[in-house]
Amino acid sequence: QGSRVSDVSRRSQSFLSLPPLAAMAEVPAAEVPQAEKDELFCAYAAMILQDSGLDISEDNLNTLIKAAGGSIESFFPALFAKMCQGKDIESMLKFGGGGGG
């Protein structure tokens, strides 16, 4: 599983490191509080791991975040992994993408 995480982190590094083409939020990234950045890094890494069929674990989250050049508080990946444990993340991701009809 370790080599698969490395492969995913190499592919994800370019995606997570892309410069913005247009404003994506009302607040510039430099003004986003660090705690919110930490949460976003974990959320995006968890989605990538879920999509790749890998465990959302502290080690896997850290691997992806570091590959993307991120730096977060050390407790966040462990907390996020515990929060995701036993949850049906795939269903949560599908639920959010439904049409408005």
Side-chain angles (χ1 to χ4, degrees), residues 41-84:
F41 263 124
C42 285
Y44 291 139
M47 286 187 270
I48 291 168
L49 290 168
Q50 176 66 37
D51 191 53
S52 300
L54 298 168
D55 291 334
I56 301 173
S57 68
E58 178 181 2
D59 289 338
N60 290 349
L61 289 168
N62 276 319
T63 299
L64 284 179
I65 292 165
K66 288 178 184 174
S71 175
I72 67 171
E73 293 288 334
S74 60
F75 71 90
F76 247 99
L79 179 67
F80 207 87
K82 285 181 185 176
M83 182 182 69
C84 292

Side-chain angles (χ1 to χ4, degrees), residues 1-93:
Q1 183 175 351
S3 64
R4 285 191 61 207
V5 173
S6 296
D7 292 342
V8 170
S9 64
R10 276 194 295 279
R11 288 185 310 219
S12 301
Q13 183 177 10
S14 60
F15 171 73
L16 292 174
S17 302
L18 289 174
L21 299 175
M24 294 180 65
E26 292 181 18
V27 179
E31 295 177 19
V32 175
Q34 186 60 43
E36 289 181 31
K37 289 180 187 178
D38 293 352
E39 185 177 345
L40 287 170
F41 263 124
C42 285
Y44 291 139
M47 286 187 270
I48 291 168
L49 290 168
Q50 176 66 37
D51 191 53
S52 300
L54 298 168
D55 291 334
I56 301 173
S57 68
E58 178 181 2
D59 289 338
N60 290 349
L61 289 168
N62 276 319
T63 299
L64 284 179
I65 292 165
K66 288 178 184 174
S71 175
I72 67 171
E73 293 288 334
S74 60
F75 71 90
F76 247 99
L79 179 67
F80 207 87
K82 285 181 185 176
M83 182 182 69
C84 292
Q85 197 172 33
K87 305 289 187 303
D88 187 0
I89 303 299
E90 186 171 346
S91 291
M92 290 181 196
L93 293 173

